[in-house]
């Protein structure tokens, strides 16, 4: 089998490629610079942790004739706000950025979301290349064009749809990722199996040990299939308009509510919240008669075997009330119409939108 993979995201106005492999930055140097062929300036956005570990991998491939500036922010969700964007934007403008120039986003979801938003509003849109450094960013946030920063009123409320020119998923970055962050990324990978591809789910189930040992070959396979599945949803619904893309949010209504209860702190990583949230959404699917008990238990087991949390036991120190979890869900931005639009599954590999869920059933799915 091939070692590196290229997945084309064939969006009508903004087609781009996602390249996946190990140690590929140097190998794909030519493609990177052809993609931004008229650029003279490159602005690398990263955080202090990633700068120390990986910045050189990027700077060493940039030809000498480019003007290069690296902008480094502190790690963490707190930096994902409009102030950070404004500060960087001012530096870009001060350095006379032009529409042909490029932003390189080197980092996890926070860096990707900030850089994407920044690239979309600078001069009404400049070139953007993602170099995602977390598993979560490689399989999810760097693909699909959702950008955004947080507001006082909630997460990702300020943002745009803006597709990158290229995404380079190099698994070499993942070798330094803390184990907890890596495992959290697998929650989104498993999600793709549950919503779309039973065979992939079974394959993940049979390869847990290899994946958790960072077996490069298997990891690349897991990332590749995840990107292919995400692609299926975004090409059918680029701007989240017709309920197709919504299926990618399986488990996320519960997850966002839990993250809200923990104030988006490190107590609960997004992937961990997604793991618990999918277990709850699966329990709800079972309670409403859509999903068999056997499949519900299979779903819980795969998360458990990956070392992910599956229920509120994980959060027992902070004592969250079920009522609070349900109330947050009702105020979730996706439910402004008053109806609770829920994503449920009827089988492993098959999810659907359902809007007749009662508050009481939700409460009973929380454990
Ligand atoms: P995500 O949203 O993709 O989970 P974040 O942007 O929140 O990721 O980053 C999570 C944390 O992991 C941050 O502290 C970041 O500095 C750190 N990090 C990101 N990539 C790496 C890496 N490859 N190696 C080590 N730490 C990393
Ligand atoms: Zn998610």
């Amino acid at each position: 089998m091939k070692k590196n993979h290229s997945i084309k995201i064939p969006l009508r106005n903004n087609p781009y490629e996602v390249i996946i492999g190990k140690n590929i930055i140097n190998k794909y140097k030519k493609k990177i610079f052809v993609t931004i062929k008229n650029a003279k300036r490159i602005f690398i956005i990263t955080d202090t942790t990633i700068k120390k570990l990986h910045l050189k991998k990027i700077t060493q491939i940039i030809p000498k004739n480019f003007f290069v500036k690296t902008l480094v922010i502190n790690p963490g969700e707190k930096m994902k706000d409009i102030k950070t964007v404004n500060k960087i934007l001012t530096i870009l403008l001060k350095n006379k950025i032009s529409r042909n120039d490029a932003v390189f986003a080197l980092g996890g979801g926070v860096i990707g979301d900030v850089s994407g938003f920044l690239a979309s509003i600078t001069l009404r849109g400049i070139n953007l290349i993602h170099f995602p450094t977390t598993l979560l960013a490689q399989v999810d946030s760097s693909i699909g064009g959702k950008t955004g920063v947080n507001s006082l009123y909630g997460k990702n409320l300020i943002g745009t749809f803006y597709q990158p020119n290229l995404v380079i998923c190099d698994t070499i970055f993942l070798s330094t990722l803390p184990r907890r962050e890596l495992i959290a990324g697998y929650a989104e990978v498993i999600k793709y199996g549950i919503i779309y591809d039973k065979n992939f789910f079974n394959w993940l189930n049979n390869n847990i040990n290899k994946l958790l040992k960072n077996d490069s070959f298997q990891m690349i396979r897991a990332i590749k299939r995840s990107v292919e599945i995400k692609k299926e949803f975004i090409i059918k619904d680029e701007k989240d308009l017709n309920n197709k893309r919504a299926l990618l949010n399986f488990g996320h209504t519960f997850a966002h509510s839990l993250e809200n209860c923990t104030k988006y702190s490190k107590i609960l990583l997004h992937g961990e919240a997604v793991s618990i949230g999918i277990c709850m959404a699966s329990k709800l699917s079972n309670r409403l008669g859509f999903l068999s008990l056997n499949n519900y238990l299979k779903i819980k087991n795969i998360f458990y075997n990956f070392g992910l949390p599956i229920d509120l036991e994980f959060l027992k120190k902070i004592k969250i009330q079920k009522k609070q979890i349900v109330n947050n869900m009702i105020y979730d931005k996706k439910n402004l119409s008053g109806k609770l639009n829920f994503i449920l599954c009827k089988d492993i590999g098959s999810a659907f939108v359902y809007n007749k869920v009662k508050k009481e059933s939700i409460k009973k799915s929380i454990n």
Side-chain angles (χ1 to χ4, degrees):
M1 216 176 115
K2 274 196 314 177
K3 268 165 64 192
N4 305 327
H5 304 273
S6 156
I7 298 168
K8 295 201 163 59
I9 313 281
L11 294 168
R12 199 182 303 148
N13 297 321
N14 315 288
Y16 59 98
E17 253 180 277
V18 180
I19 316 275
I20 303 159
K22 187 173 182 182
N23 257 325
I24 53 175
I25 294 171
N26 212 10
K27 256 181 238 155
Y28 284 86
K29 191 160 111 178
K30 211 168 152 195
K31 186 180 269 308
I32 293 171
F33 292 99
V34 167
T35 311
I36 52 163
K37 61 177 183 303
N38 294 320
K40 291 197 173 63
R41 299 175 192 78
I42 292 170
F43 296 87
I44 306 170
I45 322 270
T46 193
D47 76 28
T48 47
T49 309
I50 303 155
K51 180 188 168 198
K52 277 185 220 131
L53 296 166
H54 300 296
L55 179 63
K56 258 208 175 126
K57 295 187 180 65
I58 306 292
T59 48
Q60 72 190 9
I61 62 151
I62 304 178
K64 293 268 176 308
N65 55 322
F66 278 90
F67 167 91
V68 183
K69 195 162 183 71
T70 304
L71 301 152
V72 188
I73 63 178
N74 286 326
E77 191 72 28
K78 274 212 182 90
M79 298 307 291
K80 210 177 115 170
D81 66 6
I82 198 101
K83 266 197 216 150
T84 304
V85 172
N86 193 36
K87 264 192 208 157
I88 304 176
L89 180 54
T90 308
I91 299 173
L92 265 48
L93 295 173
K94 199 169 159 192
N95 283 281
K96 302 194 170 54
I97 188 160
S98 88
R99 287 209 64 185
N100 296 325
D101 294 336
V103 161
F104 285 7
L106 174 68
V110 170
I111 292 293
D113 285 2
V114 165
S115 309
F117 182 55
L118 173 81
S120 74
I121 60 169
T122 304
L123 308 176
R124 298 199 180 85
I126 56 168
N127 294 308
L128 167 68
I129 299 185
H130 279 301
F131 295 88
T133 62
T134 63
L135 180 60
L136 191 114
Q138 296 195 352
V139 299
D140 188 9
S141 55
S142 69
I143 323 284
K146 279 192 180 176
T147 83
V149 294
N150 305 330
S151 133
L152 272 180
Y153 294 93
K155 264 194 76 161
N156 296 328
L157 294 184
I158 306 164
T160 51
F161 283 96
Y162 192 69
Q163 304 295 343
N165 303 65
L166 181 67
V167 182
I168 305 278
C169 296
D170 194 330
T171 56
I172 196 72
F173 292 132
L174 307 182
S175 59
T176 59
L177 194 62
R179 194 166 173 77
R180 187 179 168 206
E181 298 277 355
L182 184 78
I183 290 176
Y186 277 110
E188 302 280 4
V189 175
I190 299 164
K191 176 192 79 180
Y192 292 121
I194 302 172
I195 62 170
Y196 193 75
D197 186 347
K198 193 180 211 159
N199 288 337
F200 182 47
F201 179 93
N202 291 334
W203 178 85
L204 287 167
N205 224 349
N206 293 331
N207 286 282
I208 298 178
N209 288 337
K210 283 185 189 156
L211 291 165
L212 291 180
K213 276 190 199 137
N214 282 8
D215 177 309
S216 179
F217 185 72
Q218 308 294 32
M219 275 174 106
I220 290 172
R221 238 178 117 172
I223 297 166
K224 174 177 174 264
R225 189 64 195 134
S226 299
V227 173
E228 283 170 351
I229 296 173
K230 182 152 188 186
K231 162 186 141 177
E232 291 304 320
F233 289 92
I234 51 190
I235 58 178
K236 286 181 194 131
D237 183 15
E238 183 183 350
K239 303 236 161 116
D240 215 349
L241 295 172
N242 62 20
N243 262 350
K244 291 267 176 359
R245 192 169 173 154
L247 300 185
L248 292 168
N249 275 334
F250 184 55
H252 280 61
T253 310
F254 286 102
H256 290 153
S257 171
L258 294 171
E259 288 181 279
N260 190 290
C261 293
T262 54
K263 308 212 164 45
Y264 304 94
S265 68
K266 287 276 170 194
I267 294 173
L268 183 67
L269 301 178
H270 176 68
E272 292 166 345
V274 168
S275 172
I276 301 173
I278 291 181
C279 292
M280 290 176 178
S282 304
K283 187 172 178 191
L284 181 61
S285 305
N286 171 251
R287 284 186 54 81
L288 297 176
F290 295 111
L291 183 72
S292 70
L293 181 64
N294 188 31
N295 278 336
Y296 164 52
L297 295 175
K298 261 190 176 171
I299 290 173
K300 264 202 344 191
N301 275 332
I302 194 171
F303 287 111
Y304 181 80
N305 291 331
F306 262 95
L308 282 156
I310 54 170
D311 52 36
L312 293 182
E313 172 74 15
F314 185 70
L315 296 171
K316 63 177 187 273
K317 281 196 193 123
I318 53 166
K319 291 221 168 59
I320 305 174
Q321 291 195 324
K322 284 188 187 180
K323 204 170 139 192
Q324 190 191 352
I325 300 174
V326 179
N327 286 344
N328 284 342
M329 286 164 88
I330 292 169
Y331 293 112
D332 191 69
K333 71 177 186 324
K334 287 174 192 72
N335 300 313
L336 289 179
S337 64
K339 270 196 224 150
L340 278 179
N341 257 345
F342 252 92
I343 297 135
L344 301 178
C345 66
K346 49 185 168 226
D347 192 1
I348 293 172
S350 174
F352 65 104
V353 177
Y354 187 73
N355 57 18
K356 291 188 206 117
V357 183
K358 294 202 185 99
K359 210 169 152 176
E360 216 32 51
S361 313
I362 300 170
K363 215 168 171 183
K364 286 188 180 141
S365 318
I366 297 173
N367 64 334

